[in-house]
Amino acid sequence: MAKNKNLELLTNSLNINNPVTVQVLGICSALAVTVQLEPAIVMAISVTFVTALSNLIISLLRNTIPSRIRIIVQLMVVSFLVIVVDQVLKAFMYQLDKQLSVYVGLIITNCIVMGRLEAFALGNKPLPALLDGIGSGAGYGVILIIVAFVRELFGSGKLFGCQVIPDGMYNIGYENCGFMLNPPMALILIGVIIWIQRARNKELQEK
Amino acid sequence: MESLNIFIKSIFIDNMIFAYFLGMCSFLAVSKTVKTSAGLGLAVIFVLLVTVPVNFLLNQYILKPGALSWLGEGFKDVDLSFLTFIMFIAVIAAIVQLVEMIVERFAPALYGQLGIFLPLIAVNCAIMGASLFMQSREIPTLGQATCFGIGSGIGWFIAIVLMAAIREKITYSHIPAPLKGVGIAFITCGIMAVAFMSFMGIKL
C-alpha cells in the first residue's frame, strides 16, 4: 500500500495533477525556453533536480525551521541549488547556458519549486517529499518537451537542431511556420494542451 | 534621451509578460477582476522601482568582475558574479518586507490596497527577472536602471489590467467546457501577445 502511494506521487503530476496545466504553476520560465528541444530538455532536468533536492532538504529541516522565516530559508536553499546548476551549465555547456540566459536564475522564483515546498515538503517525510519533487519536475518537463517538440518541428523543420523535414517537401511548396518561433505561439500551444487534457478528463473542467 | 528610450522600450517592446513570460503565475491567478489586478500591478511597479536600482548598485560595486576594486588594488581580480542569484533574491525578499512595513506605517490606505499582494511579490518572476535582465543587458547608469525598473513595472501593470478586463467579459460568453478558466486565459494571452508584437521594431 505504502509503495502504491509513493508511486502515485510520481505519476499523478504527469497527468491529473500536472503542475503546469492543472495547478498553473511555473509558467514563467516554461514558455521562453521552448523554441528548441535541447534547451527545453536541459531546463526540464535542471528544474527536476532543483525541485527534488530542495523538497528533500526542506523536508529534512522541516521541524527546525521557525515558520515566520520559512520563506527566506526556502529561498536560500533553492538559490543555493540553482547556483550549483548554473555553475555546472556554465562549465560544461557554455553555449546552452548563454541561450537559457536569465531563465536559469529564474528557477529560484519558479512557482513550482516554492509551491511544492510550501504545500508538500513542510508537512511530509523526506522520502515522499523527494518523490513528489521528482514527480512535479517531470510533470513540468513533459509539458516543456511537448511544446518544444511542436515548436521546433513546425517552426524550423528540425529536431535537436537536425533537419527532419525532407528537402522534397520544401520543393513541392511546404514552408516552415515562422510564427511558431514567436512567443505568443507558446501560450496558445499550452492553451491547446489544456483543452485536450480537460476534454479527455471531465473532472478537471472548471465551472 | 537614452533613458526615455529604455523606458518606452521596456513598457511596450520588451513587455515582461508578452515578450518574456515573466510573472505569468500571479498574472493568471490574480487577473480575474480589474480591481485586484490593478492593486497587484501597482505593487509590482512599486517594488520594481526600488529593487532594480538597489540591485544595480549591488551589481556595480560588489558582484561584477573587478567591481571590488574600490577596496584597493588587491581586490581587482575578485569575481563574485556566481553569488548573483542568492544576493539578488535576498535583496528582493528584504526590500519587499521593508516596503511592506514602510507602507503600513506611512500610507495605511495604500497598505489596505496592496497589503495582501506584497508578500506574494517576493517570488514573482517579474521582479527577479528585471534585476537579472538589468545585469545581463549591462545597463550602464543608475538613472537608466531606474527607468528600466519603472518601465517594466508599468508594462506589467498594463498587461494585467487589460487581461483582467477581457476575462471579466469572457465569463459571460459561450466557451467549450474544457477551455473554461485557464485554457481560454492562455489563448487570450497569446492573442494579446500577437497584438503587442506590432510594437516590435519601433525605435526612438
Side-chain angles (χ1 to χ4, degrees), chain A residues 28 87 103 106 111 182-184 206, chain B residues 20-22 25 82 125 181-182 190:
Chain A
C28 326
Q87 295 295 318
Y103 293 99
L106 287 174
C111 336
N182 287 321
E206 283 172 45
Chain B
Y20 297 104
F21 315 109
L22 295 179
C25 315
F82 69 95
C125 328
V182 195

Side-chain angles (χ1 to χ4, degrees), chain B residues 151-168:
Chain B
S152 308
I154 293 177
W156 205 89
F157 176 84
I158 292 174
I160 193 168
V161 171
L162 286 178
M163 183 73 185
I166 293 177
R167 280 180 86 173
E168 273 188 8

Side-chain angles (χ1 to χ4, degrees), chain A residues 18-66:
Chain A
N18 188 289
V20 177
T21 60
V22 181
Q23 303 172 30
V24 203
L25 294 175
I27 307 143
C28 326
S29 55
L31 303 169
V33 297
T34 51
V35 178
Q36 289 171 334
L37 261 174
E38 206 183 344
I41 289 176
V42 172
M43 190 68 182
I45 296 171
S46 320
V47 170
T48 311
F49 173 81
V50 174
T51 41
L53 284 189
S54 60
N55 255 6
L56 179 68
I57 295 174
I58 291 295
S59 172
L60 286 170
L61 293 174
R62 71 183 186 283
N63 294 326
T64 50
I65 304 175

Side-chain angles (χ1 to χ4, degrees), chain A residues 13 17-20 23-30 43-59 70-83 85 103-123 129-130 132-141 144, chain B residues 25 89 122-125:
Chain A
S13 0
N17 205 9
N18 188 289
V20 177
Q23 303 172 30
V24 203
L25 294 175
I27 307 143
C28 326
S29 55
M43 190 68 182
I45 296 171
S46 320
V47 170
T48 311
F49 173 81
V50 174
T51 41
L53 284 189
S54 60
N55 255 6
L56 179 68
I57 295 174
I58 291 295
S59 172
R70 64 177 196 286
I71 302 264
I72 268 283
V73 175
Q74 289 165 0
L75 281 176
M76 286 304 120
V77 170
V78 174
S79 39
F80 161 73
L81 289 166
V82 172
I83 289 176
V85 168
Y103 293 99
V104 180
L106 287 174
I107 298 177
I108 299 175
T109 49
N110 191 321
C111 336
I112 292 181
V113 182
M114 291 301 282
R116 289 331 287 169
L117 290 180
E118 281 281 298
F120 199 90
L122 278 175
L130 177 69
D132 179 77
I134 297 176
S136 306
Y140 166 87
L144 218 61
Chain B
C25 315
I89 197 72
V123 287
N124 186 326
C125 328

